[in-house]
Amino acid sequence: MEENKAVIGALIFIVMVIGANFIMYGIARGWAKPGNKNFLETLGQSFNPAQKKDDAMDELHRKLEELEKGKKTDSGESKP
C-alpha cells in the first residue's frame, strides 16, 4: 500500500514538473517575439505555429495581388 502511494506521488510530481516546463517554454518563447499583446494570447500563439504559417501565406498572396494590379495599371497607361 505504501509503495502504491509513493508511485502515485512520484507520477504526480513528474507531471507537475513537465507541465511547469511546458508553460515556461511558452512564456519564454512568447517574450522573445516583438509586439506582445497579453500573456494568454502570447501563450496561445506560441503553441500554434500553424497559424503563423497561414498568416505569412496570406500576406504573400496579398502582396502578389497588389503587384499584379500594379502591373495591369502600368501596362495599360504605357501604351499610346
Side-chain angles (χ1 to χ4, degrees):
M1 188 70 168
E2 298 265 337
E3 292 176 11
N4 290 340
K5 288 182 182 180
V7 170
I8 292 172
L11 288 175
I12 290 172
F13 180 74
I14 291 170
V15 168
M16 286 175 44
V17 169
I18 291 172
N21 284 330
F22 187 66
I23 290 171
M24 291 310 249
Y25 170 77
I27 292 170
R29 186 172 172 182
W31 279 341
K33 297 177 189 173
N36 294 335
K37 295 182 181 176
N38 66 26
F39 171 73
L40 292 176
E41 187 174 329
T42 301
L43 188 62
Q45 287 178 352
S46 67
F47 296 126
N48 190 7
Q51 182 181 6
K52 294 175 195 171
K53 290 179 183 177
D54 291 340
D55 291 343
M57 290 300 291
D58 290 340
E59 183 179 350
L60 181 61
H61 287 295
R62 283 194 303 264
K63 293 285 185 182
L64 286 172
E65 287 175 1
E66 289 175 8
L67 289 172
E68 287 177 0
K69 287 179 185 177
K71 265 187 184 178
K72 288 178 183 177
T73 58
D74 289 344
S75 64
E77 293 175 0
S78 63
K79 290 184 181 179

